[in-house]
C-alpha cells in the first residue's frame, strides 16, 4: 500500500529535531524506518510530518564510561551485534541484536527506534529490562532518565512524552560473576519473537544465585520483568529443580497473547521452556 501524504524534514542537529517536534505535535521521528515506514504503508500511522534523524552521526556510538555502557539511539542493530567491546563486557547486547530480522533490517534498524517503538514481539525490550537499562530522553526542556521498568507502558506505548527524543541507552557494566543470555523462538514468517527471554545472573562464591534479572518479550502486549522467576532463583543453587521451579512462573500475572500461530496455552508453555533455557545458558556462561 501507499502511505498517506506527509511532509519530510531532515534534521541536521538534535536541537533542530527537538525544535521541529516541539512545533509539530503530531510529527514522528524517522530513524531506521524499518517499523515506521511499514506502519505508514499500512496506514496504521499517518503522521503529517517526518523528522528524519538518520544523519545525526553523533547519536550513533557505543562507549564505555566509568561503570556504564552508553549506546546512542541511532546505533544500528548490526553495530551492536558486531561490537567487540560489547562482546567482552556485555555479551547479551550483541547476542540479542543478532536475533533481529535479517542483515538488511539489522543494518538499518536502530536500538533507539526499536525501544521507542515498543513492539510486543520486538527483541530489545527484553534485554533492556534484564539489563536494568536507563533511557535518556531529550526535549527542549533538557534531559531525563527513565528506568527500564517504567519505560514500556503498554502496547507500542512508552513513557516518552510528546516532544521527547530517545537520545541514549545506559547500562551498568555487569559486575561480579555474571552470565547473560538471550534465547528466542522466531516466528517462522516474520522472524519476530513468539517468545524471547533475556537473562542476566550473578552467582556468589557458594555457587548460589545472588541476583537474577529476567526480561520476556512476545508473550504479552508489552515486554515485562519476570519478577516471580527472579525471586524464585535468588539465593538458590541453580540445579535442575531450581530452574524448573523458577521457570514455571515465567508468565505469572501476565495477560498472555493468543493468535493464529500460538494460542495462549502454547505461549505460556513456550515462555516457561525458553525461560529455563535462558537461565541455563546464562548460568553456563558465568565466569
Ligand atoms: C522484515 C523485518 C523484520 C524485522 N524483524 C525484527 C525482529 O526479528 N525483531 C525485532 O525486534 N525487530 C524486528 N524488526 C523491526 C526492526 O528492528 C526495526 O528496525 C525497529 O523496530 C525500529 O527501529 P528503526 O530504527 O527502524 O525505527 P523507525 O521505524 O524509524 O521508528 C520506529 C518508531 O520509533 C520512533 N522513534 C525512532 N527513533 C526514535 C528516537 N530516537 N526517539 C523517539 N522516538 C523514536 C519513530 O517515530 C517510530 O514511531 C523487523 C523489521 C522488518 C522490516
Amino acid at each position: 500500500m501507499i502511505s498517506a501524504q506527509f511532509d519530510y524534514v531532515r534534521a541536521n542537529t538534535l536541537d533542530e529535531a527537538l525544535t521541529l517536534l516541539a512545533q509539530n505535535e503530531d510529527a514522528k521521528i524517522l530513524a531506521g524506518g524499518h517499523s515506521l515506514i511499514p506502519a505508514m504503508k499500512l496506514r496504521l500511522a499517518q503522521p503529517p510530518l517526518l523528522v528524519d534523524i538518520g544523519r545525526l552521526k553523533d547519536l550513533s556510538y557505543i562507549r564505555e564510561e566509568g561503570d556504564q555502557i552508553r549506546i546512542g539511539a541511532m546505533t544500528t542493530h548490526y553495530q551492536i551485534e558486531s561490537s567487540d567491546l560489547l562482546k567482552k563486557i556485555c555479551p547479551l547486547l550483541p547476542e540479542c541484536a543478532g536475533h533481529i530480522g535479517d542483515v538488511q533490517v539489522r543494518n538499518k534498524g536502530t536500538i533507539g527506534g526499536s525501544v521507542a517503538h515498543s513492539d510486543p514481539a520486538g527483541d530489545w525490550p527484553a534485554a533492556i529490562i534484564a539489563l536494568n537499562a536507563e533511557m535518556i530522553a531529550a526535549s527542549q526542556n533538557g534531559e531525563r532518565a527513565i528506568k527500564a521498568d517504567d519505560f514500556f507502558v503498554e502496547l507500542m506505548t512508552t513513557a516518552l512524552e510528546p516532544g521527547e527524543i530517545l537520545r541514549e541507552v545506559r547500562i551498568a557494566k555487569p559486575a561480579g560473576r555474571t552470565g547473560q543470555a538471550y534465547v528466542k523462538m522466531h516466528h517462522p514468517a516474520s522472524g519476530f519473537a513468539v517468545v524471547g527471554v533475556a537473562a542476566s545472573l550473578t552467582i556468589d562464591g557458594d555457587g548460589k544465585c545472588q541476583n537474577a534479572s529476567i526480561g520476556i518479550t512476545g508473550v504479552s502486549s508489552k515486554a515485562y520483568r519476570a519478577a516471580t522467576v527472579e525471586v524464585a532463583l535468588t539465593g538458590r543453587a541453580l540445579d535442575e529443580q531450581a530452574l524448573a521451579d523458577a521457570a514455571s512462573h515465567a508468565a505469572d500475572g501476565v495477560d498472555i497473547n493468543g493468535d493464529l500461530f500460538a494460542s495462549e496455552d502454547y505461549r505460556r508453555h513456550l515462555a516457561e521452556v525458553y525461560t529455563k533455557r535462558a537461565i541455563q545458558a546464562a548460568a553456563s556462561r558465568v565466569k
Side-chain angles (χ1 to χ4, degrees):
M1 272 182 70
I2 297 171
S3 74
Q5 247 192 337
F6 61 91
D7 289 326
Y8 169 93
V9 180
R10 183 191 296 152
N12 294 309
T13 63
L14 179 61
D15 279 348
E16 191 186 336
L18 291 172
T19 305
L20 285 161
L21 272 193
Q23 290 168 348
N24 300 275
E25 206 183 318
D26 296 325
K28 281 243 167 231
I29 291 293
L30 178 68
H34 270 50
S35 291
L36 182 55
I37 300 294
M40 288 172 64
K41 285 185 156 191
L42 292 168
R43 302 217 175 183
L44 296 171
Q46 300 191 20
L49 171 67
L50 290 187
V51 178
D52 185 354
I53 60 169
R55 305 272 172 109
L56 301 187
K57 295 294 170 219
D58 50 353
L59 290 187
S60 173
Y61 54 85
I62 298 168
R63 289 187 201 128
E64 191 180 3
E65 282 194 31
D67 58 2
Q68 283 187 333
I69 298 160
R70 298 187 176 194
I71 303 178
M74 284 304 296
T75 309
T76 63
H77 309 317
Y78 176 72
Q79 285 172 310
I80 296 172
E81 180 189 9
S82 57
S83 161
D84 288 335
L85 173 69
L86 292 179
K87 284 179 193 164
K88 202 169 97 192
I89 62 174
C90 193
L92 175 53
L93 291 166
E95 185 174 20
C96 181
H99 278 280
I100 296 174
D102 53 28
V103 176
Q104 285 160 309
V105 173
R106 295 199 290 277
N107 262 325
K108 284 297 282 182
T110 65
I111 187 168
S114 275
V115 173
H117 192 56
S118 184
D119 190 302
D123 294 288
W124 280 127
I128 290 290
I129 290 170
L131 293 169
N132 293 303
E134 265 187 352
M135 270 50 70
I136 306 300
S139 73
Q140 285 203 311
N141 301 323
E143 289 197 345
R144 67 184 179 118
I146 310 167
K147 290 188 189 313
D149 285 336
D150 302 325
F151 190 80
F152 303 104
V153 174
E154 240 321 312
L155 181 80
M156 291 173 166
T157 308
T158 70
L160 287 173
E161 298 282 354
E164 283 186 325
I165 293 180
L166 176 59
R167 186 182 68 73
E168 184 178 82
V169 176
R170 289 186 188 164
I171 296 157
K173 280 198 290 190
R177 298 180 61 220
T178 297
Q180 305 176 330
Y182 182 67
V183 297
K184 170 181 180 182
M185 177 169 172
H186 297 246
H187 188 289
S190 71
F192 276 88
V194 179
V195 170
V197 183
S200 178
L201 305 177
T202 309
I203 306 296
D204 69 16
D206 299 327
K208 290 187 177 157
C209 179
Q210 189 181 325
N211 184 266
S213 196
I214 314 281
I216 300 185
T217 188
V219 175
S220 192
S221 57
K222 61 167 186 158
Y224 61 94
R225 175 177 297 286
T228 329
V229 177
E230 296 174 353
V231 170
L233 288 172
T234 306
R236 288 188 74 174
L238 298 179
D239 54 25
E240 183 61 26
Q241 190 59 51
L243 262 58
D245 286 350
S248 71
H249 296 291
D252 277 8
V254 165
D255 283 333
I256 304 173
N257 288 338
D259 55 31
L260 275 179
F261 181 74
S263 67
E264 202 178 303
D265 282 348
Y266 181 47
R267 259 203 177 78
R268 180 192 304 281
H269 173 69
L270 290 175
E272 294 178 9
V273 169
Y274 278 78
T275 296
K276 189 172 167 199
R277 287 185 189 174
I279 300 165
Q280 264 167 338
S284 73
R285 294 172 187 174
V286 172
K287 291 193 188 102

